[in-house]
């Protein structure tokens, strides 16, 4: 099931994206699927006629994982960490499909990072790996944009990772997905940057979320970004970045400087 958050010009609402007679349609549902039972409202709109929004705005946090693909760690000149490397993005970093990514004024070197994002559906603390699946609503595409020059300049990553619009997600949440071996890629103006597979993760989704839950309580709507494959590159203002994950779809965002 594909859960989207969208608007037709009125207040945002949630819907289920399904194909009917060869055309993708959005079927409106009541409330927020994180908290309420999914019930149809009777609203049915062609997907092409809606504006898709970030499928979830985390109530609390985005937890990200660094160096979870060996080839990416190598291209950055880093060793694989002995324990998982975690950092946070605030919910103000989250934007949706088609929203502009605004390059921060203090950076001249913003890089893309295609990532599989996990959406948490219920409070999670001290989970064993085998308990993780019951706490996951689904999966979406994410771009962990990074001010690489700021990252090199200081030991902590707040300026590099947390700037507004640095975490586009979408186009929707896919709830039925075997995430163990999915193609994941990024392009800049149609030119391939990254081409990898989630099978190459050093630590699995279950391992990551289990370990994160031993540090912090994960809340409904929180996101966990699971790392990026090799091929990261800078993105110039005026370009468009596409993140594609097999079984989910494509997230597209323009890059701007103001």
């Amino acid at each position: 099931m594909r859960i989207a958050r969208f608007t037709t010009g009125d207040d945002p609402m949630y819907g289920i994206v399904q194909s009917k007679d060869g055309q993708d349609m959005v079927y409106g549902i009541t409330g927020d699927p994180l908290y309420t039972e999914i019930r149809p409202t009777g609203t049915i709109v062609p997907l092409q006629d809606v504006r898709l929004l970030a499928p979830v705005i985390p109530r609390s946090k985005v937890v990200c994982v660094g160096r979870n693909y060996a080839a990416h760690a190598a291209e950055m000149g880093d060793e694989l960490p002995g324990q998982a490397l975690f950092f946070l993005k605030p919910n103000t970093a989250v934007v949706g499909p088609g929203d502009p990514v605004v390059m921060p004024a203090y950076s001249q070197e913003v890089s893309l990072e295609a990532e599989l994002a996990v959406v948490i559906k219920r409070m999670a603390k001290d989970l064993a790996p085998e308990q993780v699946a019951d706490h996951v609503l689904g999966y979406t595409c994410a771009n962990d944009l990074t001010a690489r020059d700021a990252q090199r300049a200081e030991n902590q990553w707040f300026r590099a990772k947390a700037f507004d619009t640095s975490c586009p997600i979408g186009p929707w949440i896919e709830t039925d997905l075997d995430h163990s071996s999915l193609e994941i890629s990024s392009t800049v103006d149609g030119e391939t940057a990254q081409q990898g597979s989630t099978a190459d993760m050093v630590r699995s989704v279950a391992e990551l979320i289990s370990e994160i839950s031993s540090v912090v309580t994960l809340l409904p709507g929180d996101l966990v970004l699971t790392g990026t494959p090799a091929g990261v590159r800078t993105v110039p203002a005026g370009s468009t970045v596409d993140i594609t994950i097999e079984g989910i779809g494509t997230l597209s965002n323009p890059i701007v400087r103001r």
Side-chain angles (χ1 to χ4, degrees):
M1 181 169 60
R2 290 178 168 175
I3 301 174
R5 183 167 161 265
F6 70 98
T7 180
T8 57
D10 298 319
D11 290 339
M13 63 185 300
Y14 287 90
I16 306 301
V17 179
Q18 293 181 334
S19 181
K20 181 179 180 181
D21 299 327
Q23 183 177 17
D24 286 333
M25 308 293 291
V26 184
Y27 296 78
I29 58 176
T30 58
D32 184 333
L34 281 167
Y35 299 100
T36 59
E37 182 180 353
I38 291 177
R39 295 179 179 176
T41 63
T43 298
I44 304 175
V45 189
L47 179 62
Q48 64 184 14
D49 293 342
V50 309
R51 178 189 168 203
L52 291 175
L53 307 173
V56 65
I57 298 296
R59 273 63 169 177
S60 162
K61 55 194 169 291
V62 181
V63 185
C64 304
V65 182
R67 304 177 200 163
N68 197 34
Y69 288 75
H72 171 59
E75 75 178 347
M76 302 303 291
D78 296 316
E79 300 289 335
L80 286 174
Q83 62 179 10
L85 176 61
F86 300 134
F87 58 94
L88 295 174
K89 284 179 180 271
N91 57 10
T92 49
V94 173
V95 292
D99 290 337
V101 171
V102 182
M103 303 173 75
Y106 53 79
S107 177
Q108 301 301 313
E109 191 180 340
V110 173
S111 294
L112 57 75
E113 293 189 11
E115 309 209 9
L116 175 71
V118 185
V119 183
I120 301 299
K121 72 176 177 181
R122 60 169 59 102
M123 186 180 295
K125 178 63 178 172
D126 293 329
L127 299 180
E130 59 268 21
Q131 295 175 305
V132 166
D134 289 337
H135 291 74
V136 170
L137 175 65
Y139 306 86
T140 191
C141 305
N143 189 353
D144 172 21
L145 288 136
T146 305
R148 202 67 73 188
D149 42 3
Q151 187 180 36
R152 289 194 301 267
E154 52 189 345
N155 291 330
Q156 60 81 33
W157 293 355
F158 183 76
R159 290 179 182 82
K161 294 284 194 176
F163 61 90
D164 289 350
T165 74
S166 65
C167 189
I169 62 171
W172 39 63
I173 299 166
E174 175 56 70
T175 63
D176 302 311
L177 188 70
D178 178 357
H179 53 74
S180 60
S181 182
L182 301 174
E183 292 183 4
I184 177 171
S185 65
S186 61
T187 65
V188 181
D189 291 334
E191 179 181 338
T192 298
Q194 297 171 278
Q195 187 74 52
S197 170
T198 59
D200 296 327
M201 287 184 185
V202 176
R203 294 174 176 86
S204 69
V205 168
E207 291 171 320
L208 291 171
I209 293 178
S210 173
E211 187 170 349
I212 291 166
S213 75
S214 74
V215 181
V216 297
T217 300
L218 292 166
L219 300 178
D222 281 355
L223 292 170
V224 175
L225 272 57
T226 55
T228 196
V232 299
R233 54 155 289 184
T234 57
V235 290
S239 63
T240 297
V241 175
D242 290 345
I243 307 296
T244 301
I245 300 179
E246 180 184 1
I248 301 176
T250 297
L251 167 69
S252 183
N253 297 91
I255 311 297
V256 304
R257 187 178 291 280
R258 292 175 179 162

